[in-house]
Structures are given as C-alpha cells and as structure tokens.
Amino acid sequence: MEQPERKIFTLDINGRPTLALQAQNIEFARGMCAVPDFRLDLYEITSDGVPICPVDSVFGLRPATKKEVAAFERAVGLAPAADDFTFVMLIKVDRVEVVAITCQANDRA
C-alpha cells in the first residue's frame, strides 16, 4: 500500500515559529501537537534559559513556509533515518534530549 503524501507544518508558540513537523494533513498535525506528553516536553525546553513554551502558551499550526520546509528537510537529511513522528526545532534551544516516540499499531487511525 502506498504511503499518503506528507506535508510540512509549522507550530507557532505565542506567535513565534518554533518547530516544523511532517504529517499527512493539518488535522493529523494538530492531533500530534495536542498529545499531553508532547506539550509537557515543550514546557521543559528553554532557549537562552527562557522557557520556549510557558504553560499558558497559545499554539498555532499552519503550513510551513518555503524557508521552514528547507530547514526541516536539511535537518532530517542530517539525522538518522526514522519512520516515526519527526519534528525540527526552528529556534535555538538549550540542551535537548532526543527521544524517539513510536505509534502503536492500534494508534494509527
């Protein structure tokens, strides 16, 4: 079965383009960004010591610009290959641990 085409979207946090991610469509991307563990992880990331995502942050999701798509593709090209959810930070962040999150077969609907 052929994989559906995936598109690149940008998550703006408080109006700031923060990360790019790849998904089948914007609804699927919204669902990924709404996962509580994903948000909890974002709350802990800092840039120059300042949290990038305070608890009361406003999230906005939109199609990525050409520049954001290029940044995503470059970063993914430098990373080990993965079939899982992938996102790329579009801002400078302080120390970040890389974690692989996989979907269970029954989670894919």
Side-chain angles (χ1 to χ4, degrees):
M1 187 165 143
E2 188 176 314
Q3 293 282 12
E5 181 181 340
R6 294 176 174 253
K7 297 176 178 139
I8 310 301
F9 299 95
T10 295
L11 176 65
D12 294 328
I13 298 177
N14 293 331
R16 180 182 188 190
T18 304
L19 65 88
L21 58 101
Q22 189 173 37
Q24 298 165 2
N25 55 50
I26 199 159
E27 291 81 19
F28 191 82
R30 279 191 185 109
M32 291 189 297
C33 293
V35 172
D37 286 344
F38 180 70
R39 285 183 176 239
L40 287 173
D41 289 342
L42 288 176
Y43 296 151
E44 296 180 12
I45 298 173
T46 59
S47 178
D48 293 326
V50 178
I52 66 165
C53 184
V55 175
D56 61 348
S57 294
V58 175
F59 282 20
L61 195 65
R62 59 174 172 76
T65 65
K66 287 182 182 181
K67 185 176 176 182
E68 293 162 346
V69 170
F72 178 89
E73 290 173 347
R74 181 172 186 276
V76 168
L78 294 172
D83 291 330
D84 301 318
F85 173 60
T86 302
F87 67 90
V88 171
M89 300 306 292
L90 297 173
I91 60 171
K92 176 188 160 286
V93 294
D94 302 330
R95 185 179 162 270
V96 173
E97 284 187 38
V98 177
V99 178
I101 301 171
T102 59
C103 295
Q104 298 298 321
N106 59 359
D107 290 344
R108 298 179 188 174

